[in-house]
Amino acid sequence: MHDLAGYDLIVVGSGFFGLTVAERVAEGLGKRVLVLERRDHIGGNAYSEAEPETGIEIHRYGAHLFHTSNERVWEYVNRFTDFTGYQHRVFARAGDQVYAFPMNLALINQFFGKAHSPDEARALIAEQAAEVETSEATNLEEKAISLIGRPLYEAFVKGYNEKQWQTDPKNLDASIITRLPVRYTYDNRYFNDTHEGLPVDGYAAWLERMADHENIDVVLETDFFEVRDRIPAGTPVVYTGPLDRYFDHSEGELGWRTLDFEMSVEPTGDFQGTSVINYNDADVPFTRILEFRHMHPEREYPKDKTVIVREYSRFAESGDEPYYPINTPDNRAKLERYRELARKETANRNVLFGGRLGTYKYLDMHMAIGSALTMYSNRLVPYFAEGRALSGTEAEE
């Protein structure tokens, strides 16, 4: 059993948030850091590996696409990896047709079978959306129709959300959809950020470089809750696991969505012609198919085999991997109570809470890294360099 004494900081979890904190404290402050990871690999859900039969790099926990407009984050991540010029584009299957996605002028013209100018397309969608006044929408279905009209809603939103939430959109809160972007151009680039790409050598190599520091020790297959009694009193801890689990679910379990993945090797060099196709029809059980070879067209992959992954969405049960927090009044009320407990834990035991699980927030990779850099600058540098107390929670930053 690894000795937990002698460290200046203990980080629980080795996803992007945890590794960023560990690397900054080790390199920037010269402190000794121990990272505890319950899985058999570092990197959290961003972990990637070569599929044995084909050598194609797959993302074990679903597609991870790096993009950011945060220059501080972009400068930081480029210390550990170069990026390809990959630009993510998604396609959506509805019925027997495949459309460019997000909704744009190409989709509108293809769907309605007529060439519209941007002004004509705006007028068409406005006319169809007039069926429901946005301010009067009481559920997801009404909200979506008020934004894009019934035809596009029924083809591209209704079935997909039924599968995503396992609930009729009439019974989902309108707030789930803040907006449904429609581009009145032929631009089908999925992200609008300044910087986008995939790590040249893959995510695993990037993550391993972050952890490869003389002041960092990583211990895998170690459950924090089984060893926390052995952590010396007063040692600061950055916890990135589930917030409710830390407090033994004392305020109730927070709800999550989870994903199931069905991977197969197909006897063809190209299964679908692109990285991601969403399946919008309710009678198709999966939400999308990923084909990872298309994320790295610059690589030499087999020409007679490819790897695809069908992705399914459902409510997480006990023991499932949590992916997406569920924004309901009940969960928000629990979260407020947990945040109060977290504030007390920070003040009393030097524990900071961060990351997607530790704050019950959905964070893209660049957001997790940015949040970790903020915690480092605002909490950990003052603590180690100036002797100031740790206070507050990352959830409020």
Side-chain angles (χ1 to χ4, degrees):
M1 183 65 73
H2 193 90
D3 187 358
L4 306 187
Y7 292 96
D8 300 298
L9 176 69
I10 292 178
V11 175
V12 181
S14 66
F16 270 117
F17 189 99
L19 287 183
T20 299
V21 167
E23 188 280 332
R24 286 289 74 217
V25 170
E27 172 65 19
L29 297 172
K31 302 297 182 181
R32 291 197 67 209
V33 182
L34 175 65
V35 178
L36 301 177
E37 172 55 57
R38 66 178 176 82
R39 289 172 170 165
D40 62 359
H41 61 78
I42 64 169
N45 286 358
Y47 178 74
S48 66
E49 60 191 346
E51 191 282 321
E53 187 176 340
T54 62
I56 294 172
E57 181 191 355
I58 61 165
H59 305 170
R60 189 190 288 186
Y61 306 96
H64 281 68
L65 298 313
F66 192 81
H67 56 97
T68 187
S69 295
N70 185 322
E71 294 300 331
R72 184 188 188 195
V73 169
W74 184 243
E75 185 277 328
Y76 178 72
V77 300
N78 273 271
R79 299 179 193 180
F80 307 100
T81 181
D82 293 327
F83 288 86
T84 68
Y86 177 85
Q87 291 185 341
H88 194 47
R89 286 175 168 82
V90 173
F91 293 82
R93 179 162 177 162
D96 293 326
Q97 188 57 273
V98 175
Y99 302 85
F101 211 70
M103 284 178 269
N104 58 21
L105 199 52
L107 180 147
I108 291 169
N109 289 346
Q110 185 181 357
F111 185 78
F112 291 104
K114 180 184 176 182
H116 296 82
S117 70
D119 288 342
E120 289 168 342
R122 287 179 193 277
L124 172 67
I125 301 307
E127 178 185 349
Q128 294 178 347
E131 177 185 339
V132 179
E133 178 62 43
T134 300
S135 62
E136 298 174 2
T138 60
N139 57 52
L140 185 149
E141 178 167 297
E142 292 178 355
K143 179 77 169 287
I145 291 171
S146 79
L147 295 172
I148 62 171
R150 187 176 293 274
L152 292 179
Y153 161 73
E154 291 187 344
F156 298 102
V157 178
K158 185 176 188 294
Y160 195 86
N161 276 276
E162 283 180 359
K163 292 186 288 188
Q164 193 78 0
W165 295 98
Q166 293 173 286
T167 304
D168 188 320
K170 292 188 183 75
N171 298 323
L172 290 169
D173 195 88
S175 66
I176 290 175
I177 292 182
T178 54
R179 64 190 186 95
L180 274 171
V182 178
R183 295 175 183 163
Y184 295 98
T185 69
Y186 290 98
D187 176 19
N188 71 328
R189 183 180 169 192
Y190 198 74
F191 303 115
N192 293 317
D193 284 297
T194 308
H195 307 289
E196 180 180 359
L198 290 169
V200 168
D201 301 319
Y203 280 101
W206 171 8
L207 294 154
E208 285 163 5
R209 287 176 197 137
M210 292 181 72
D212 184 18
H213 193 284
E214 61 183 2
N215 291 337
I216 297 176
D217 290 332
V218 178
V219 181
L220 302 175
E221 298 180 272
T222 300
D223 187 331
F224 165 72
F225 297 103
E226 294 178 1
V227 302
R228 67 171 163 180
D229 290 344
R230 296 175 39 231
I231 297 174
T235 303
V237 172
V238 172
Y239 173 82
T240 72
L243 182 59
D244 53 353
R245 173 69 182 89
Y246 184 92
F247 295 104
D248 296 320
H249 305 111
S250 61
E251 303 302 317
E253 290 196 30
L254 292 167
W256 292 88
R257 300 291 298 171
T258 192
L259 298 174
D260 295 319
F261 304 103
E262 184 183 274
M263 187 177 74
S264 62
V265 176
E266 300 294 327
T268 177
D270 195 345
F271 182 83
Q272 64 183 16
T274 192
S275 303
V276 179
I277 293 183
N278 291 348
Y279 282 74
N280 292 282
D281 298 333
D283 59 353
V284 178
F286 46 86
T287 55
R288 58 182 184 169
I289 294 181
L290 315 174
E291 187 173 6
F292 286 104
R293 72 179 306 123
H294 293 290
M295 292 184 181
H296 287 281
E298 77 282 1
R299 294 181 182 173
E300 287 293 324
Y301 283 145
K303 294 180 169 54
D304 59 346
K305 293 178 183 178
T306 192
V307 180
I308 66 166
V309 173
R310 291 178 174 87
E311 189 173 299
Y312 301 79
S313 174
R314 61 180 173 82
F315 287 106
E317 300 174 1
S318 181
D320 284 330
E321 202 62 54
Y323 279 84
Y324 306 105
I326 301 174
N327 185 18
T328 62
D330 181 51
N331 281 317
R332 287 196 296 271
K334 291 176 188 174
L335 179 59
E336 284 306 313
R337 297 195 294 270
Y338 279 122
R339 283 179 173 172
E340 183 56 36
L341 291 175
R343 280 189 281 269
K344 293 176 181 175
E345 196 73 0
T346 301
N348 297 334
R349 293 191 173 85
N350 280 352
V351 180
L352 289 172
F353 298 82
R356 179 176 53 95
L357 303 181
T359 59
Y360 197 64
K361 285 182 181 179
Y362 181 72
L363 300 175
D364 284 333
M365 289 178 285
H366 68 286
M367 296 165 68
I369 294 167
S371 180
L373 292 173
T374 297
M375 177 183 280
Y376 169 73
S377 298
N378 293 358
R379 304 291 171 84
L380 295 168
V381 170
Y383 174 82
F384 285 114
E386 303 165 22
R388 287 169 50 186
L390 297 173
S391 61
T393 67
E394 181 70 8
E396 298 176 316
E397 294 187 352

